[in-house]
Amino acid sequence: MGTAVYLIGAGPGDPELITLKGRRCLKLVDCVIYDYLVNRELLDYVQAKAERIYVGKQGGQDYISQAKITALILQRAREGKQVARLKGGDPFIFARGGEEAEALAQAGISFEVIPGISAGSAAPTYAGIPLTHRGYSPTVAFITAHQDPTQEGPPIAWDQLSQRDGTLVFFMGAGSLNEVVQQLTHQGRSLETPIALIRWGTYPKQQVITGTLGSILDHAKNLAPPTIIVVGEVVKLRERLRWFDNRPLFGKTILITRPLEQIEDFKHQLHVLGATVIPFPTLEVLDPSSWAPLDRAIQKIDQYDWVIFTSINSVKHFFIRYFRIHSDIRELKNIKIATIGPATAKAVRTLNISIDTLPMDYRAEGLVESLRGKVLKGTRVLIPRAKIAREVLPQQLHQQGAQVEVVEAYQTGIPKSSYSGWCQILEQQPPHMVVFTSSSTVSNLATIIYPQSLPTSLQHISVACIGPITAKTAETLGLKVSVVPKRYTTAALVDAITTYFCQTQL
């Protein structure tokens, strides 16, 4: 008999802190029952057909009681479903996972507990506070600052906690800060004892307030959950050991409009610098209206002198068809290859094909210049590209006397999901910056938000463009462009965005 229920620790918030085993089990289940403190990105690992049930509790207000949550887990398991009970932090550390496991055991339902990284250790770590340190604290204690008055249980031994020299970590501390301070100081803890309040630990919106037991109440007005409280000398190390919330893009939300399949690397580059990244593709890459023109060009590939690729997508779609027609890459042995930029060149080189021309200026004008003296009168050139694209390259090569054939390798459209998502983003998490990586991403966003204009919709939001052509399109549509890198690559764009925000913070 296989496992019926997985009690999975989702970790403290950063979606990359879930364990490999937890992630693997999420992919297996038929139903996931998840809490308020679970990062919603983890639900992307769950099968599309799986049932998703939210049972979150926020600020002490139960949307559903613990008894009903437990009954729901039992019900779904008895229906024969594999269930993931996804809990913030670790299931067995102040998460009531022990109670749910007891109920499963009593019902004779097989279960497995998958530990998670507790917010009690992760939030201080992301705040630059080591819970133990040979020079400051040899011990650490974890305490729940919130006790249910309707439940019997041992009270917090404040007298014993106050006499400890080690670190104290209080869970669910937002509503109990006054009591923590009063009890510790009443029992003898010095008013000079350092204290840190960590809200939304490990998230890009993490907030940290530090002080002493004597001053913290003046610094922390209207403290809201979720908050971890750390008390002890180790808090003094934060200013030296901060590594997470002092990154250059920390606290900045950046929206990326490029196609979904091209977002991940760009997203990662921004994320490691501290940014919250919202993928909002305004462009999707589709197959051409007909493969026939491209197939005919590939069938007579030996008749061309040059093949010019102007995007990663042109490389991808060209070679999908090429290997349907030719089994050997050596059919290209006498043909020279040009690419518009380093990312496109990299896509070609992964096929062990050499690049003959790569311009210094990564746009059509630069590519034309790099081919001057190489593409002569009578030179036969094939350009597989998008259905709609700028005509600069074929026109200028034709003026040089080349025999240019342009074939449709792919076409682009607007993702249907984007039409319904824009207003929700602006309401829930308005970005500090919108990034455009092609003219189409700009014009497509204008189509998505119509009849509202881009300047109105992006008011008070900075705009970054990967290059001057994209920037010109944005400006034509009424936008003020704040960032254009000198080199038209995503790496250079990330550097330019970082510089922009660092300068605006001065």
PDB file of all heavy atoms in Angstrom, residues 51-72:
ATOM      1  N   GLU A  51      -6.532  18.692  -7.507  1.00  0.00           N
ATOM      2  CA  GLU A  51      -7.394  19.595  -6.746  1.00  0.00           C
ATOM      3  C   GLU A  51      -6.540  20.446  -5.810  1.00  0.00           C
ATOM      4  O   GLU A  51      -5.636  19.951  -5.139  1.00  0.00           O
ATOM      5  CB  GLU A  51      -8.398  18.774  -5.925  1.00  0.00           C
ATOM      6  CG  GLU A  51      -9.406  19.601  -5.159  1.00  0.00           C
ATOM      7  CD  GLU A  51     -10.361  18.751  -4.340  1.00  0.00           C
ATOM      8  OE1 GLU A  51     -10.049  17.562  -4.085  1.00  0.00           O
ATOM      9  OE2 GLU A  51     -11.427  19.268  -3.946  1.00  0.00           O
ATOM     10  N   ARG A  52      -6.838  21.736  -5.753  1.00  0.00           N
ATOM     11  CA  ARG A  52      -6.134  22.668  -4.872  1.00  0.00           C
ATOM     12  C   ARG A  52      -7.119  23.252  -3.877  1.00  0.00           C
ATOM     13  O   ARG A  52      -8.124  23.847  -4.274  1.00  0.00           O
ATOM     14  CB  ARG A  52      -5.479  23.794  -5.690  1.00  0.00           C
ATOM     15  CG  ARG A  52      -4.334  23.336  -6.586  1.00  0.00           C
ATOM     16  CD  ARG A  52      -4.043  24.386  -7.657  1.00  0.00           C
ATOM     17  NE  ARG A  52      -2.824  24.118  -8.392  1.00  0.00           N
ATOM     18  CZ  ARG A  52      -2.714  23.238  -9.383  1.00  0.00           C
ATOM     19  NH1 ARG A  52      -3.789  22.541  -9.751  1.00  0.00           N
ATOM     20  NH2 ARG A  52      -1.560  23.048  -9.993  1.00  0.00           N
ATOM     21  N   ILE A  53      -6.822  23.081  -2.585  1.00  0.00           N
ATOM     22  CA  ILE A  53      -7.735  23.544  -1.539  1.00  0.00           C
ATOM     23  C   ILE A  53      -6.970  24.452  -0.583  1.00  0.00           C
ATOM     24  O   ILE A  53      -6.009  24.029   0.063  1.00  0.00           O
ATOM     25  CB  ILE A  53      -8.348  22.356  -0.758  1.00  0.00           C
ATOM     26  CG1 ILE A  53      -9.049  21.381  -1.713  1.00  0.00           C
ATOM     27  CG2 ILE A  53      -9.329  22.877   0.289  1.00  0.00           C
ATOM     28  CD1 ILE A  53      -9.570  20.126  -1.046  1.00  0.00           C
ATOM     29  N   TYR A  54      -7.415  25.702  -0.490  1.00  0.00           N
ATOM     30  CA  TYR A  54      -6.776  26.674   0.395  1.00  0.00           C
ATOM     31  C   TYR A  54      -7.451  26.649   1.757  1.00  0.00           C
ATOM     32  O   TYR A  54      -8.680  26.788   1.858  1.00  0.00           O
ATOM     33  CB  TYR A  54      -6.870  28.069  -0.218  1.00  0.00           C
ATOM     34  CG  TYR A  54      -6.352  29.170   0.679  1.00  0.00           C
ATOM     35  CD1 TYR A  54      -5.009  29.219   1.048  1.00  0.00           C
ATOM     36  CD2 TYR A  54      -7.212  30.164   1.153  1.00  0.00           C
ATOM     37  CE1 TYR A  54      -4.534  30.228   1.859  1.00  0.00           C
ATOM     38  CE2 TYR A  54      -6.734  31.184   1.960  1.00  0.00           C
ATOM     39  CZ  TYR A  54      -5.397  31.211   2.316  1.00  0.00           C
ATOM     40  OH  TYR A  54      -4.928  32.204   3.132  1.00  0.00           O
ATOM     41  N   VAL A  55      -6.679  26.463   2.809  1.00  0.00           N
ATOM     42  CA  VAL A  55      -7.223  26.411   4.169  1.00  0.00           C
ATOM     43  C   VAL A  55      -6.464  27.396   5.055  1.00  0.00           C
ATOM     44  O   VAL A  55      -6.214  27.143   6.234  1.00  0.00           O
ATOM     45  CB  VAL A  55      -7.151  24.990   4.750  1.00  0.00           C
ATOM     46  CG1 VAL A  55      -8.075  24.050   3.997  1.00  0.00           C
ATOM     47  CG2 VAL A  55      -5.716  24.449   4.727  1.00  0.00           C
ATOM     48  N   GLY A  56      -6.087  28.525   4.489  1.00  0.00           N
ATOM     49  CA  GLY A  56      -5.213  29.464   5.177  1.00  0.00           C
ATOM     50  C   GLY A  56      -5.838  30.136   6.373  1.00  0.00           C
ATOM     51  O   GLY A  56      -7.045  30.380   6.433  1.00  0.00           O
ATOM     52  N   LYS A  57      -4.967  30.436   7.331  1.00  0.00           N
ATOM     53  CA  LYS A  57      -5.351  31.200   8.513  1.00  0.00           C
ATOM     54  C   LYS A  57      -4.496  32.454   8.529  1.00  0.00           C
ATOM     55  O   LYS A  57      -3.290  32.383   8.338  1.00  0.00           O
ATOM     56  CB  LYS A  57      -5.109  30.400   9.791  1.00  0.00           C
ATOM     57  CG  LYS A  57      -5.839  29.068   9.838  1.00  0.00           C
ATOM     58  CD  LYS A  57      -5.447  28.296  11.077  1.00  0.00           C
ATOM     59  CE  LYS A  57      -6.101  26.921  11.099  1.00  0.00           C
ATOM     60  NZ  LYS A  57      -5.716  26.161  12.295  1.00  0.00           N
ATOM     61  N   GLN A  58      -5.113  33.590   8.769  1.00  0.00           N
ATOM     62  CA  GLN A  58      -4.392  34.849   8.702  1.00  0.00           C
ATOM     63  C   GLN A  58      -4.795  35.720   9.880  1.00  0.00           C
ATOM     64  O   GLN A  58      -5.972  35.946  10.117  1.00  0.00           O
ATOM     65  CB  GLN A  58      -4.701  35.574   7.389  1.00  0.00           C
ATOM     66  CG  GLN A  58      -3.945  36.876   7.205  1.00  0.00           C
ATOM     67  CD  GLN A  58      -4.256  37.508   5.858  1.00  0.00           C
ATOM     68  OE1 GLN A  58      -5.018  36.967   5.073  1.00  0.00           O
ATOM     69  NE2 GLN A  58      -3.654  38.645   5.597  1.00  0.00           N
ATOM     70  N   GLY A  59      -3.768  36.189  10.616  1.00  0.00           N
ATOM     71  CA  GLY A  59      -4.025  37.104  11.716  1.00  0.00           C
ATOM     72  C   GLY A  59      -4.949  36.547  12.772  1.00  0.00           C
ATOM     73  O   GLY A  59      -5.709  37.278  13.399  1.00  0.00           O
ATOM     74  N   GLY A  60      -4.903  35.212  12.980  1.00  0.00           N
ATOM     75  CA  GLY A  60      -5.723  34.606  14.014  1.00  0.00           C
ATOM     76  C   GLY A  60      -7.153  34.330  13.581  1.00  0.00           C
ATOM     77  O   GLY A  60      -7.928  33.730  14.313  1.00  0.00           O
ATOM     78  N   GLN A  61      -7.535  34.752  12.387  1.00  0.00           N
ATOM     79  CA  GLN A  61      -8.890  34.512  11.901  1.00  0.00           C
ATOM     80  C   GLN A  61      -8.895  33.246  11.049  1.00  0.00           C
ATOM     81  O   GLN A  61      -8.272  33.189  10.007  1.00  0.00           O
ATOM     82  CB  GLN A  61      -9.379  35.698  11.077  1.00  0.00           C
ATOM     83  CG  GLN A  61      -9.476  36.994  11.880  1.00  0.00           C
ATOM     84  CD  GLN A  61      -9.949  38.142  11.025  1.00  0.00           C
ATOM     85  OE1 GLN A  61      -9.987  38.029   9.813  1.00  0.00           O
ATOM     86  NE2 GLN A  61     -10.327  39.244  11.659  1.00  0.00           N
ATOM     87  N   ASP A  62      -9.598  32.235  11.515  1.00  0.00           N
ATOM     88  CA  ASP A  62      -9.633  30.959  10.811  1.00  0.00           C
ATOM     89  C   ASP A  62     -10.625  31.029   9.656  1.00  0.00           C
ATOM     90  O   ASP A  62     -11.805  31.307   9.853  1.00  0.00           O
ATOM     91  CB  ASP A  62     -10.056  29.827  11.747  1.00  0.00           C
ATOM     92  CG  ASP A  62      -8.986  29.517  12.788  1.00  0.00           C
ATOM     93  OD1 ASP A  62      -7.981  30.252  12.831  1.00  0.00           O
ATOM     94  OD2 ASP A  62      -9.171  28.556  13.538  1.00  0.00           O
ATOM     95  N   TYR A  63     -10.118  30.763   8.458  1.00  0.00           N
ATOM     96  CA  TYR A  63     -11.034  30.569   7.350  1.00  0.00           C
ATOM     97  C   TYR A  63     -11.671  29.188   7.480  1.00  0.00           C
ATOM     98  O   TYR A  63     -12.774  28.953   7.030  1.00  0.00           O
ATOM     99  CB  TYR A  63     -10.272  30.677   6.021  1.00  0.00           C
ATOM    100  CG  TYR A  63      -9.814  32.079   5.711  1.00  0.00           C
ATOM    101  CD1 TYR A  63      -8.485  32.446   5.889  1.00  0.00           C
ATOM    102  CD2 TYR A  63     -10.702  33.037   5.261  1.00  0.00           C
ATOM    103  CE1 TYR A  63      -8.055  33.733   5.619  1.00  0.00           C
ATOM    104  CE2 TYR A  63     -10.286  34.325   4.983  1.00  0.00           C
ATOM    105  CZ  TYR A  63      -8.961  34.674   5.173  1.00  0.00           C
ATOM    106  OH  TYR A  63      -8.538  35.949   4.904  1.00  0.00           O
ATOM    107  N   ILE A  64     -10.955  28.290   8.106  1.00  0.00           N
ATOM    108  CA  ILE A  64     -11.442  26.949   8.342  1.00  0.00           C
ATOM    109  C   ILE A  64     -10.728  26.438   9.587  1.00  0.00           C
ATOM    110  O   ILE A  64      -9.527  26.646   9.751  1.00  0.00           O
ATOM    111  CB  ILE A  64     -11.192  26.031   7.117  1.00  0.00           C
ATOM    112  CG1 ILE A  64     -11.712  24.615   7.378  1.00  0.00           C
ATOM    113  CG2 ILE A  64      -9.724  26.009   6.739  1.00  0.00           C
ATOM    114  CD1 ILE A  64     -11.692  23.743   6.131  1.00  0.00           C
ATOM    115  N   SER A  65     -11.452  25.811  10.498  1.00  0.00           N
ATOM    116  CA  SER A  65     -10.864  25.378  11.763  1.00  0.00           C
ATOM    117  C   SER A  65      -9.902  24.208  11.555  1.00  0.00           C
ATOM    118  O   SER A  65      -9.970  23.499  10.545  1.00  0.00           O
ATOM    119  CB  SER A  65     -11.964  24.966  12.739  1.00  0.00           C
ATOM    120  OG  SER A  65     -12.579  23.774  12.292  1.00  0.00           O
ATOM    121  N   GLN A  66      -9.032  23.985  12.553  1.00  0.00           N
ATOM    122  CA  GLN A  66      -8.094  22.869  12.464  1.00  0.00           C
ATOM    123  C   GLN A  66      -8.839  21.539  12.384  1.00  0.00           C
ATOM    124  O   GLN A  66      -8.437  20.637  11.656  1.00  0.00           O
ATOM    125  CB  GLN A  66      -7.148  22.867  13.660  1.00  0.00           C
ATOM    126  CG  GLN A  66      -6.101  21.758  13.634  1.00  0.00           C
ATOM    127  CD  GLN A  66      -5.204  21.817  12.408  1.00  0.00           C
ATOM    128  OE1 GLN A  66      -4.681  22.871  12.066  1.00  0.00           O
ATOM    129  NE2 GLN A  66      -5.042  20.692  11.719  1.00  0.00           N
ATOM    130  N   ALA A  67      -9.936  21.426  13.138  1.00  0.00           N
ATOM    131  CA  ALA A  67     -10.713  20.180  13.106  1.00  0.00           C
ATOM    132  C   ALA A  67     -11.249  19.908  11.701  1.00  0.00           C
ATOM    133  O   ALA A  67     -11.230  18.762  11.218  1.00  0.00           O
ATOM    134  CB  ALA A  67     -11.860  20.261  14.103  1.00  0.00           C
ATOM    135  N   LYS A  68     -11.702  20.965  11.027  1.00  0.00           N
ATOM    136  CA  LYS A  68     -12.233  20.792   9.669  1.00  0.00           C
ATOM    137  C   LYS A  68     -11.110  20.484   8.674  1.00  0.00           C
ATOM    138  O   LYS A  68     -11.320  19.734   7.717  1.00  0.00           O
ATOM    139  CB  LYS A  68     -13.003  22.044   9.246  1.00  0.00           C
ATOM    140  CG  LYS A  68     -14.323  22.230   9.991  1.00  0.00           C
ATOM    141  CD  LYS A  68     -15.060  23.465   9.507  1.00  0.00           C
ATOM    142  CE  LYS A  68     -16.389  23.627  10.226  1.00  0.00           C
ATOM    143  NZ  LYS A  68     -17.120  24.852   9.785  1.00  0.00           N
ATOM    144  N   ILE A  69      -9.936  21.093   8.904  1.00  0.00           N
ATOM    145  CA  ILE A  69      -8.797  20.789   8.026  1.00  0.00           C
ATOM    146  C   ILE A  69      -8.433  19.317   8.133  1.00  0.00           C
ATOM    147  O   ILE A  69      -8.238  18.619   7.129  1.00  0.00           O
ATOM    148  CB  ILE A  69      -7.585  21.666   8.393  1.00  0.00           C
ATOM    149  CG1 ILE A  69      -7.865  23.134   8.073  1.00  0.00           C
ATOM    150  CG2 ILE A  69      -6.338  21.199   7.635  1.00  0.00           C
ATOM    151  CD1 ILE A  69      -6.789  24.090   8.566  1.00  0.00           C
ATOM    152  N   THR A  70      -8.353  18.827   9.378  1.00  0.00           N
ATOM    153  CA  THR A  70      -8.015  17.420   9.594  1.00  0.00           C
ATOM    154  C   THR A  70      -9.064  16.509   8.964  1.00  0.00           C
ATOM    155  O   THR A  70      -8.728  15.506   8.311  1.00  0.00           O
ATOM    156  CB  THR A  70      -7.899  17.133  11.098  1.00  0.00           C
ATOM    157  OG1 THR A  70      -6.899  17.985  11.672  1.00  0.00           O
ATOM    158  CG2 THR A  70      -7.513  15.677  11.341  1.00  0.00           C
ATOM    159  N   ALA A  71     -10.337  16.870   9.135  1.00  0.00           N
ATOM    160  CA  ALA A  71     -11.414  16.061   8.537  1.00  0.00           C
ATOM    161  C   ALA A  71     -11.310  16.062   7.017  1.00  0.00           C
ATOM    162  O   ALA A  71     -11.567  15.029   6.360  1.00  0.00           O
ATOM    163  CB  ALA A  71     -12.771  16.608   8.980  1.00  0.00           C
ATOM    164  N   LEU A  72     -10.922  17.177   6.447  1.00  0.00           N
ATOM    165  CA  LEU A  72     -10.782  17.277   4.996  1.00  0.00           C
ATOM    166  C   LEU A  72      -9.654  16.377   4.490  1.00  0.00           C
ATOM    167  O   LEU A  72      -9.795  15.702   3.462  1.00  0.00           O
ATOM    168  CB  LEU A  72     -10.501  18.732   4.624  1.00  0.00           C
ATOM    169  CG  LEU A  72     -10.406  19.086   3.138  1.00  0.00           C
ATOM    170  CD1 LEU A  72     -11.716  18.781   2.420  1.00  0.00           C
ATOM    171  CD2 LEU A  72     -10.051  20.570   2.969  1.00  0.00           C
TER     172      LEU A  72
END
